[in-house]
Amino acid sequence: MYFAALLARTEDGWEASDTELDDVETLSDLADLAREASPDEDTVLVLIEQEDAWFGVVRVDGEDDPRIYVSDAAAAARSSYGEILLTDELLGRDPDDGDDLDALDLDGTEDGDSDDDEADTGDPVAGSGEAVPHGPVGDAQILDDLGVSEKELRSLVTDAVTEIAEALGASETLETVR
């Protein structure tokens, strides 16, 4: 179960809208959705929370590139919504790393790897070829200028979306769409 909401900062305060992410396939789609919530190019926050396992904040300021914070990348990687946020750039990966066909053997192992070296950890993230870090990734200062410090953001665990909304003074607004 997940919850996603858009909070748009306007002259009159925060405006919230519930959002479905079913048609969102990429970070670009998500940023476009956020921009549509505020025609005046105000700050828009996309808040996503999945069963207290992880939460994400995407901040869109006008036409600037979106800024992203994810509380637990490994947990988010197991979610289709989390995968939208976990871009190669956010994870510090080179998007071209997986494209070298010459490095692959027909048995599916990379040059130098033997079948004996592979361990089944039972972790779908670890089995993906590239490790996704456990813990937070992204811009932890994403909400500093809005009253939520990096330290406060990193300390959030359960009901993070509600706590963020309270710190922004938008808890009543958020509750209207929850």
Side-chain angles (χ1 to χ4, degrees):
M1 186 76 184
Y2 78 96
F3 172 74
L6 296 172
L7 281 178
R9 187 176 181 187
T10 68
E11 292 176 3
D12 300 324
W14 291 97
E15 291 180 8
S17 56
D18 188 12
T19 188
E20 285 296 322
L21 300 179
D22 294 339
D23 295 331
V24 175
E25 295 179 5
T26 65
L27 180 60
S28 180
D29 293 343
L30 187 60
D32 290 344
L33 183 68
R35 287 184 184 104
E36 290 172 12
S38 179
D40 295 331
E41 296 191 9
D42 294 316
T43 296
V44 178
L45 302 176
V46 181
L47 304 173
I48 303 171
E49 185 173 55
Q50 185 152 13
E51 295 180 345
D52 295 332
W54 67 275
F55 70 92
V57 179
V58 178
R59 179 176 177 161
V60 178
D61 294 301
E63 291 300 317
D64 292 347
D65 287 340
R67 295 168 56 191
I68 306 164
Y69 175 81
V70 176
S71 66
D72 186 336
R78 294 180 189 93
S79 159
S80 59
Y81 301 114
E83 287 178 347
I84 293 169
L85 306 180
L86 297 175
T87 63
D88 287 335
E89 182 180 347
L90 187 71
L91 296 173
R93 295 181 183 161
D94 182 358
D96 297 327
D97 278 350
D99 294 338
D100 188 3
L101 297 178
D102 295 331
L104 298 178
D105 289 332
L106 293 177
D107 67 357
T109 62
E110 293 185 28
D111 284 343
D113 289 347
S114 71
D115 292 332
D116 298 336
D117 291 341
E118 294 181 36
D120 183 11
T121 62
D123 184 350
V125 174
S128 68
E130 292 192 53
V132 175
H134 290 272
V137 295
D139 184 355
Q141 298 174 348
I142 193 170
L143 301 173
D144 272 359
D145 64 325
L146 299 175
V148 181
S149 71
E150 176 178 351
K151 182 179 178 183
E152 291 168 320
L153 189 62
R154 288 183 184 271
S155 71
L156 296 176
V157 180
T158 59
D159 210 16
V161 168
T162 300
E163 290 191 38
I164 290 169
E166 284 176 10
L168 298 175
S171 58
E172 287 181 24
T173 303
L174 182 66
E175 285 305 311
T176 63
V177 297
R178 197 176 265 265

